[in-house]
């Protein structure tokens, strides 16, 4: 049974049982505790935590998940993978243990012909918490399982919680006996390779606190509602039903391995090392496909860094398998073909996805070249110092700064007869992981910060938010908050949070800044600094009281700054216009991946492989302003998410949308986007769109910045004034300025070349006089010369020139330049000096110690730099002492 079919049967089973089918949330779900969605219940967490009221009593989903803690372990065993799919069914105060057990048993044991999964009931085992006698009895009642196939386990295995204060409860896990060839008999307690877990049923029934470990916490009280949260591993069920050994051999994964084997000429299953690499390729290609599909782009931080690692590890594994050509164009389409049955959007969006992935591979191929050069320097320094081990810090720098995989460093070190301090490298990696874990742990309390907001919305209900229609509202202060606590008053000069019953202030979201404005009341007023939605339905104003005191229960006039809102509307509508213009000029793959706008300013990130040429840049600006001139109608429509997709509306990657969405349309189908921001009524009201820059924000991703409205006109006015000033200075018309400036630049370069020739001639002329000043030290001609204002290549050229004039005897020349207020040194020896056993490499080290720097080179010529001009004389003296022996 194909994986997509298992998925379909699961959803159908629970939909027929009255569950609402909820589409998978994007992997970039808005959760401060998570890098990516890593469990099926994550999108439902606000309901389980009591932060929001669920819109349904029971739901089901197949959630895309990514876990990245064990990236290095992927492929080494067949258990580890980064991307997986979690089937789940959820009850919010509806059915409980008996319902969950009944629904699960029916699905897994019902025949394939009847729409079930067809597992043999005699091969099913379950575990329950050792104190949960109710669950044990229900398994006997519902499924007829004998006592010996219901095993008790402790809190560590059979109690679920989120690791923080909140809901928790016992769970019951379902296992399938794979047969005696996989291990000993005796159920999950005896062997979890033979007895494979496929489903975990969580009975969420109590509130816990003081969580210090998986099995160490305090139960505070029963939850007001008993909930169900289950998770079935789709890939595990797939390889059992497909008769495969592991998740890498199922229909959605193995075709990538097959294609990789064809490309490399190696066979899967013939060599363990090769097998590990094949599995890394298969897993990482699929994970990257899904991550890019959900809007992640490669980068150096956070989610982007994880994606970059996955892509580069896949490419590197193909290179280790012997395939040097670009690999992703051969592999990514294979993965897409297998995954599109469940996620058809991957096919429709594949042009964008592949563009980003292929650009990252090309960037990595270039990085390999740069990293090789850095490695060669590090290896050279190790050898020169007489060492044979590349330090862990150097290996870590190659890995962390330049994206150089450790296995590549190990391989190249071995080729040069070196080893690598792997223990030091692992120690630094462990420190980095510890910092990341500490950071993640520090964020775990963020949910607790919403307590006061939950209490507020429970007491007063959601905010009546009228930002689309009202700039001024007469409102009542429902609550005042400070430091996570409710307070009765905010006094003059203090900053606090205000919850109103009704407000027209726009709360920051969708890339749009919050509104500015004031709250006024009898005897005082407060400046609104920020507006946020800490939980769904609640709008919170951060204010500074300028005059008087603001007390709970006060009547206030909430007034949005009219000019601010005008600029904000222009910028947000301008973002939509620029996005549509980009797609018109560049094509449909130039899709927005992020945005930010404030009054008069916008920036828009979009998928694209390279910089816009001047003509494209001009065209995007021209198309944008043509849309303004055409005075296009800007309209809004409310519809369901499926209706919006059918309507052709574009969604922003990484955003989470509710069941009903708002579509902003500019000029009909020319621009249709899901958006909750504030907008103008007609495109001409944007005023103008002035593009100011196009820059890279990572492989396959660009950023356009622009100004709108009065800010755009001001920018153009400044540009005009600059042109007028240049015209006046250069005594040229505006149209003639480019040619005039080019002529000046050419003349300047010509003059600089003449000056360079003159300076070189001066240095050469002086070289003879310097050579004549050589002092004799034990038969060696020694020249110590301080070259004022000379640096870089000139210092080297001068040293070599002086050396050339001392060919009649052993000679050591030390020249130290002082350009830029930093010493740059060159030590040059002629062959006679080298034959006497002297070394420029050793002498430059002596010089470097005195001038606060270091250097390197060969026996005849070495160079270096430093930071201390005051040490030059000491450096010369130290070389004299070294020559005297």
């Amino acid at each position: 049974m194909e994986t997509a079919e298992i998925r379909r049967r699961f959803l159908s089973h629970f939909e027929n049982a009255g569950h609402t089918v909820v589409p998978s949330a994007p992997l970039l779900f808005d959760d401060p505790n998570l890098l990516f969605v890593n469990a099926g219940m994550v999108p439902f967490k606000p309901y389980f935590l009591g932060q929001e009221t669920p819109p349904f009593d029971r739901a089901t989903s197949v959630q895309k998940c990514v876990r990245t803690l064990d990236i290095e372990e992927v492929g080494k065993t067949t258990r580890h993978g980064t991307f997986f799919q979690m089937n789940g069914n959820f009850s919010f105060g509806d059915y409980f243990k008996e319902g969950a057990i009944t629904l699960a048993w029916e699905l897994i044991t019902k025949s394939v012909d009847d729409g079930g999964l067809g597992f043999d009931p005699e091969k099913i085992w379950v575990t329950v918490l050792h104190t949960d006698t109710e669950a044990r009895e229900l398994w006997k009642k519902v499924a007829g399982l004998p006592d010996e196939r219901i095993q008790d386990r402790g809190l560590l295995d059979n109690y679920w919680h989120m690791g923080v204060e909140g809901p928790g409860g016992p769970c019951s896990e379902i296992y399938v006996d794979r047969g005696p060839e996989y291990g000993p008999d005796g159920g999950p307690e005896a062997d979890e390779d033979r007895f494979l877990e496929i489903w975990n049923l969580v009975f969420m029934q109590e509130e816990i606190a003081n969580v210090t470990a998986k099995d160490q916490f305090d139960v505070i009280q029963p939850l007001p509602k008993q909930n169900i949260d289950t998770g079935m591993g789709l890939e595990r069920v797939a390889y059992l039903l497909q008769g495969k050994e592991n998740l890498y051999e199922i229909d959605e994964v193995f075709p990538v391995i097959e294609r990789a084997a064809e490309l490399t000429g190696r066979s899967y299953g013939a060599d363990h090392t090769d097998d590990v690499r094949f599995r890394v390729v298969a897993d990482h290609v699929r994970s990257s496909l899904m991550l890019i599909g959900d809007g992640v782009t490669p980068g150096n931080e956070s989610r982007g860094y994880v994606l970059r690692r996955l892509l580069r590890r896949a490419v590197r594994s193909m290179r280790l398998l012997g395939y040097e050509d670009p690999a992703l164009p051969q592999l990514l389409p294979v993965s897409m073909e297998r995954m599109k049955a469940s996620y058809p959007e991957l096919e429709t969006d594949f042009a964008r996805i592949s563009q980003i992935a292929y650009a990252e591979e090309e960037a990595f191929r270039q990085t390999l070249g740069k990293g090789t050069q850095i490695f060669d320097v590090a290896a050279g320094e190790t050898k020169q110092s007489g060492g044979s081990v590349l330090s862990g810090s150097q290996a870590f720098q190659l890995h962390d700064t330049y994206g150089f995989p450790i296995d590549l460093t190990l391989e190249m070190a071995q080729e040069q007869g070196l080893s690598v301090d792997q223990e030091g490298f692992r120690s630094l990696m462990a420190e980095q992981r510890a910092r990341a874990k500490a950071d993640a742990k520090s964020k775990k309390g963020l949910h607790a910060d919403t307590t006061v907001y939950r209490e507020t919305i429970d007491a007063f209900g959601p905010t009546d938010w009228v930002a689309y229609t009202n700039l001024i509202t007469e409102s009542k202060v429902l609550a005042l908050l400070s430091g996570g606590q409710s307070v009765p008053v905010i006094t003059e000069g203090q900053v606090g949070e205000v919850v109103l019953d009704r407000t027209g202030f726009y709360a920051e979201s969708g890339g749009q800044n919050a509104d500015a404005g004031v709250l006024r009341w009898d005897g005082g007023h407060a400046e609104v600094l920020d507006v946020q939605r800490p939980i769904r339905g609640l709008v919170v104003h951060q204010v500074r009281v300028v005059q008087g005191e603001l007390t709970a229960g006060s009547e206030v006039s909430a007034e949005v700054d009219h000019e601010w809102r005008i600029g904000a509307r222009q910028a947000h509508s301008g973002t939509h216009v620029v996005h549509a213009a980009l797609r018109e000029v560049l094509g449909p793959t130039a899709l927005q991946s992020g945005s930010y706008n404030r009054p008069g300013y916008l920036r828009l990130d979009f998928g694209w492989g390279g910089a816009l040429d001047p003509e494209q840049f001009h065209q995007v600006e021209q198309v944008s302003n043509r849309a303004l001139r055409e005075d296009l109608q800007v309209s809004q429509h409310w519809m369901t998410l499926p209706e919006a997709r059918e309507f052709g509306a574009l969604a922003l990657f990484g955003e989470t949308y509710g069941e009903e969405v708002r579509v902003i349309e500019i000029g009909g189908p020319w621009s249709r986007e899901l958006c909750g921001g504030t907008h103008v009524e007609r495109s001409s009201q944007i005023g103008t769109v002035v593009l100011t820059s196009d820059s890279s924000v990572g492989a396959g991703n660009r950023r356009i910045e622009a100004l709108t409205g009065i800010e755009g006109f001001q920018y153009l006015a400044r540009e005009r004034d600059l042109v007028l000033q240049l015209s006046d200075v250069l005594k040229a018309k505006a149209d003639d300025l480019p040619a005039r400036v080019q002529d000046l630049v050419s003349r300047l370069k010509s003059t600089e070349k003449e000056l360079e020739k003159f300076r070189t001639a001066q240095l050469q002329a002086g070289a003879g006089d310097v050579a004549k000043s050589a002092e004799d030290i034990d038969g060696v001609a020694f020249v110590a010369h301080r070259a004022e204002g000379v640096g870089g290549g000139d210092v080297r050229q001068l040293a070599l020139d002086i050396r050339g004039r001392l060919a009649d005897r052993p000679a050591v020349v030390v020249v130290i330049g002082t350009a830029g207020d930093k010493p740059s040194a060159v030590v040059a020896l002629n062959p006679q000096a080298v034959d006497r056993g002297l070394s420029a490499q050793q002498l430059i080290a002596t010089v470097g110690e005195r001038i606060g720097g270091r250097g390197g080179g060969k026996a005849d010529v070495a160079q270096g730099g430093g930071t201390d001009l005051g040490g030059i004389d000491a450096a010369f003296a130290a070389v004299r002492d070294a020559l005297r022996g």
Side-chain angles (χ1 to χ4, degrees):
M1 187 182 299
E2 290 198 341
T3 306
E5 176 60 16
I6 300 170
R7 178 182 188 275
R8 188 198 65 76
R9 285 172 181 247
F10 183 91
L11 294 175
S12 177
H13 173 73
F14 283 99
E15 185 176 24
N16 291 337
H19 292 65
T20 299
V21 176
V22 178
S24 173
L27 288 164
L28 288 75
F29 194 71
D30 183 20
D31 188 311
N33 295 335
L34 298 175
L35 198 61
F36 303 110
V37 171
N38 62 359
M41 60 79 62
V42 168
F44 304 99
K45 193 188 294 187
Y47 307 145
F48 290 130
L49 288 169
Q51 296 171 344
E52 298 177 20
T53 302
F56 30 62
D57 293 330
R58 50 177 72 181
T60 185
S61 70
V62 177
Q63 177 60 48
K64 298 176 285 188
C65 302
V66 166
R67 292 181 183 171
T68 58
L69 291 177
D70 299 320
I71 288 179
E72 289 84 359
E73 299 303 314
V74 170
K76 295 178 182 177
T77 72
T78 56
R79 283 181 173 268
H80 290 91
T82 51
F83 174 81
F84 62 96
Q85 298 160 89
M86 187 64 73
N87 299 349
N89 60 287
F90 309 91
S91 168
F92 308 100
D94 189 6
Y95 62 84
F96 197 47
K97 291 182 184 179
E98 183 169 3
I101 290 171
T102 300
L103 288 165
W105 182 254
E106 288 176 351
L107 176 63
I108 60 177
T109 60
K110 190 163 53 176
S111 71
V112 172
D113 290 342
D114 290 334
L117 300 181
F119 282 104
D120 183 351
E122 298 301 316
K123 294 184 178 180
I124 303 298
W125 291 62
V126 299
T127 62
V128 296
L129 185 65
H130 60 90
T131 57
D132 193 355
T133 55
E134 181 186 6
R136 171 178 282 276
E137 293 305 313
L138 284 170
W139 277 114
K140 292 162 67 175
K141 170 188 171 182
V142 171
L145 288 178
D147 279 317
E148 59 268 22
R149 283 199 275 136
I150 307 172
Q151 295 188 327
D152 291 338
R153 282 188 157 180
L155 293 171
L156 201 60
D157 294 302
N158 276 67
Y159 193 95
W160 178 91
H161 57 77
M162 288 186 285
V164 294
E165 180 178 327
C171 58
S172 180
E173 297 174 328
I174 303 173
Y175 292 78
V176 174
D177 182 0
R178 303 172 72 191
E181 64 271 27
Y182 291 96
D185 201 354
E189 281 285 272
D191 190 295
E192 288 202 13
D193 284 326
R194 171 175 172 173
F195 298 89
L196 190 72
E197 179 196 345
I198 62 167
W199 207 343
N200 186 18
L201 314 181
V202 178
F203 310 130
M204 207 177 296
Q205 62 188 44
E206 50 208 14
E207 181 181 349
I208 65 170
N210 303 321
V211 184
T212 58
K214 180 76 166 64
D215 58 347
Q216 295 179 14
F217 52 84
D218 296 330
V219 175
I220 303 301
Q221 60 187 2
L223 289 173
K225 290 184 178 180
Q226 295 177 324
N227 304 316
I228 289 293
D229 159 28
T230 84
M232 169 193 274
L234 179 55
E235 282 78 7
R236 283 196 178 187
V237 174
Y239 73 75
L240 288 175
L241 293 182
Q242 292 173 19
K244 304 298 182 182
E245 293 297 312
N246 55 67
L247 65 90
Y248 290 97
E249 298 178 8
I250 66 173
D251 61 309
E252 288 188 347
V253 181
F254 194 66
V256 175
I257 292 179
E258 288 183 309
R259 181 59 181 145
E262 291 174 7
L263 295 170
T264 61
R266 304 194 189 189
S267 299
Y268 181 71
D271 177 83
H272 175 70
T273 301
D274 284 354
D275 288 352
V276 170
R277 291 166 180 163
F278 278 124
R279 289 194 284 265
V280 167
V281 170
D283 173 85
H284 289 4
V285 165
R286 185 168 77 139
S287 297
S288 299
L289 171 73
M290 304 306 295
L291 286 169
I292 299 173
D294 274 359
V296 185
T297 55
N300 291 325
E301 295 180 356
S302 189
R303 294 158 169 162
Y305 181 63
V306 171
L307 173 60
R308 173 160 286 169
R309 285 187 66 197
L310 293 173
L311 286 167
R312 293 186 172 192
R313 278 172 57 84
V315 171
R316 173 61 185 153
S317 294
M318 287 296 289
R319 290 171 71 92
L320 291 172
L321 287 165
Y323 191 74
E324 298 287 337
D325 293 332
L328 293 180
Q330 301 294 329
L331 302 173
L332 201 68
V334 177
S335 187
M336 182 275 292
E337 285 295 328
R338 296 310 308 166
M339 298 303 297
K340 71 180 184 181
S342 297
Y343 306 99
E345 64 271 16
L346 293 172
E347 183 174 33
T348 57
D349 199 23
F350 191 67
R352 180 191 65 85
I353 295 170
S354 59
Q355 183 182 65
I356 291 172
Y358 302 164
E360 178 62 21
E361 178 171 17
E362 181 56 35
F364 183 46
R365 289 166 67 84
Q366 296 175 11
T367 293
L368 286 175
K370 295 177 184 176
T372 300
Q373 294 174 3
I374 304 239
F375 171 84
D376 288 342
V377 171
E381 290 177 349
T382 301
K383 289 181 177 180
Q384 288 167 15
S385 65
S388 61
V389 180
L390 197 69
S391 72
S393 61
Q394 288 172 312
F396 180 76
Q397 183 187 33
L398 281 165
H399 169 85
D400 195 54
T401 305
Y402 301 101
F404 220 52
I406 182 61
D407 52 358
L408 180 57
T409 302
L410 291 170
E411 180 182 302
M412 293 176 64
Q414 185 177 23
E415 291 171 355
Q416 296 210 23
L418 299 172
S419 59
V420 178
D421 177 13
Q422 296 186 59
E423 185 61 35
F425 172 80
R426 284 194 293 269
S427 176
L428 290 168
M429 287 294 294
E431 289 177 15
Q432 186 186 62
R433 289 194 192 98
R435 287 192 296 270
K437 285 183 179 179
D439 182 58
K441 187 175 182 180
S442 71
K443 294 178 180 178
K444 283 231 173 172
L446 288 178
H447 280 301
D449 292 343
T450 65
T451 300
V452 69
Y453 303 123
R454 295 202 307 271
E455 292 173 349
T456 302
I457 201 169
D458 287 344
F460 301 106
T463 306
D464 182 11
W465 187 67
V466 292
Y468 297 144
T469 56
N470 295 64
L471 292 182
I472 300 176
T473 59
E474 299 305 317
S475 308
K476 181 179 180 180
V477 177
L478 299 179
L480 300 175
L481 313 172
S482 179
Q485 302 292 326
S486 179
V487 295
V489 62
I490 303 176
T491 60
E492 189 169 309
Q494 286 187 326
V495 174
E497 294 179 319
V498 181
V499 178
L500 303 175
D501 63 339
R502 187 168 185 257
T503 182
F505 278 82
Y506 183 81
E508 180 182 6
S509 64
Q512 180 176 330
N513 253 11
D515 278 332
V518 295
L519 304 183
R520 300 185 190 277
W521 62 93
D522 287 342
H525 69 276
E527 175 189 7
V528 177
L529 306 175
D530 193 14
V531 189
Q532 297 290 332
R533 293 178 183 268
I535 62 174
R536 189 177 298 175
L538 191 71
V539 176
V540 177
H541 311 71
Q542 184 188 65
V543 305
R544 178 188 292 111
V545 175
V546 179
Q547 180 185 3
E549 291 185 346
L550 182 57
T551 57
S554 298
E555 299 290 335
V556 301
S557 175
E559 303 171 6
V560 177
D561 185 316
H562 180 68
E563 290 298 318
W564 178 281
R565 175 64 75 84
I566 289 175
R569 293 167 65 200
Q570 289 174 323
H572 205 146
S573 296
T575 305
H576 287 225
V577 166
V578 172
H579 187 202
L582 279 166
R583 288 182 286 111
E584 180 174 324
V585 173
L586 302 179
T589 62
L591 285 171
Q592 178 178 332
S593 57
S595 69
Y596 169 76
N597 55 77
R598 62 174 187 265
Y601 168 84
L602 69 89
R603 72 168 185 244
L604 186 149
D605 296 346
F606 62 100
W608 197 249
L612 275 63
D613 61 43
E615 179 61 26
Q616 291 172 324
F617 191 80
H618 175 72
Q619 284 181 348
V620 172
E621 187 176 65
Q622 189 175 46
V623 170
S624 299
N625 283 289
R626 186 181 67 210
L628 272 56
R629 186 181 64 183
E630 291 173 355
D631 195 29
L632 303 174
Q633 176 72 39
V634 179
S635 56
Q636 63 174 342
H637 311 278
W638 291 91
M639 58 188 74
T640 65
L641 188 56
E643 287 171 342
R645 287 176 175 148
E646 183 69 24
F647 191 53
L650 299 174
L652 180 63
F653 292 114
E655 286 291 312
T656 303
Y657 298 99
E659 288 299 302
E660 190 176 45
V661 295
R662 178 171 176 254
V663 177
I664 296 298
E665 187 178 49
I666 302 177
W670 186 69
S671 173
R672 285 173 177 161
E673 298 189 35
L674 273 61
C675 181
T678 60
H679 289 273
V680 298
E681 295 172 355
R682 303 194 70 84
S683 62
S684 61
Q685 295 171 349
I686 297 171
T688 187
V689 173
V690 181
L691 300 192
T692 59
S693 72
D694 161 44
S695 59
S696 171
V697 286
N701 218 31
R702 305 293 301 176
R703 172 171 292 171
I704 281 279
E705 293 181 274
L707 297 173
T708 59
I710 193 67
E711 286 80 2
F713 286 113
Q714 290 170 345
Y715 177 87
L716 293 174
R718 289 194 298 271
E719 295 286 293
R720 177 198 61 201
D721 292 344
L722 179 61
V723 170
L724 290 174
Q725 290 174 35
L726 288 173
S727 296
D728 184 54
V729 170
L730 298 176
K731 306 303 180 187
K733 295 180 179 179
D735 291 345
D736 297 333
L737 281 177
R740 187 64 182 273
V741 171
Q742 183 61 50
D743 177 60
L744 287 173
V745 170
S746 297
R747 288 161 59 187
L748 180 61
K749 288 181 177 178
S750 177
T751 302
E752 288 175 343
K753 287 181 181 179
E754 291 300 317
L755 286 172
E756 180 64 26
K757 289 178 182 178
F758 179 71
R759 187 176 60 178
T760 301
Q762 274 190 318
L763 287 173
Q764 290 174 344
D769 293 335
V770 176
K772 290 176 183 178
S773 69
E775 57 186 290
D776 184 86
I777 301 177
D778 293 338
V780 175
F782 173 58
V783 173
H785 180 63
R786 178 179 179 129
E788 296 291 350
V790 179
D794 289 337
V795 175
R796 183 182 179 93
Q797 184 59 47
L798 181 57
L800 296 178
D801 199 351
I802 296 170
R803 182 187 68 175
R805 298 171 188 267
L806 298 169
D808 58 329
R809 51 188 164 148
V812 174
V813 178
V814 180
V815 178
I816 303 179
T818 63
D821 292 330
K822 287 187 178 181
S824 55
V826 174
V827 178
L829 279 61
N830 63 10
Q832 297 98 308
V834 175
D835 290 343
R836 288 190 56 162
L838 297 174
S839 169
Q841 208 171 13
Q842 293 175 357
L843 293 175
I844 196 66
T846 301
V847 172
E849 289 176 7
R850 273 70 182 179
I851 63 174
R854 55 187 294 185
K858 298 180 180 179
D860 60 337
V861 180
Q863 64 187 62
T867 58
D868 184 11
L869 290 173
I872 293 178
D873 290 340
F876 291 149
V879 175
R880 284 191 185 93
D881 292 341
L883 294 177
R884 292 190 181 105

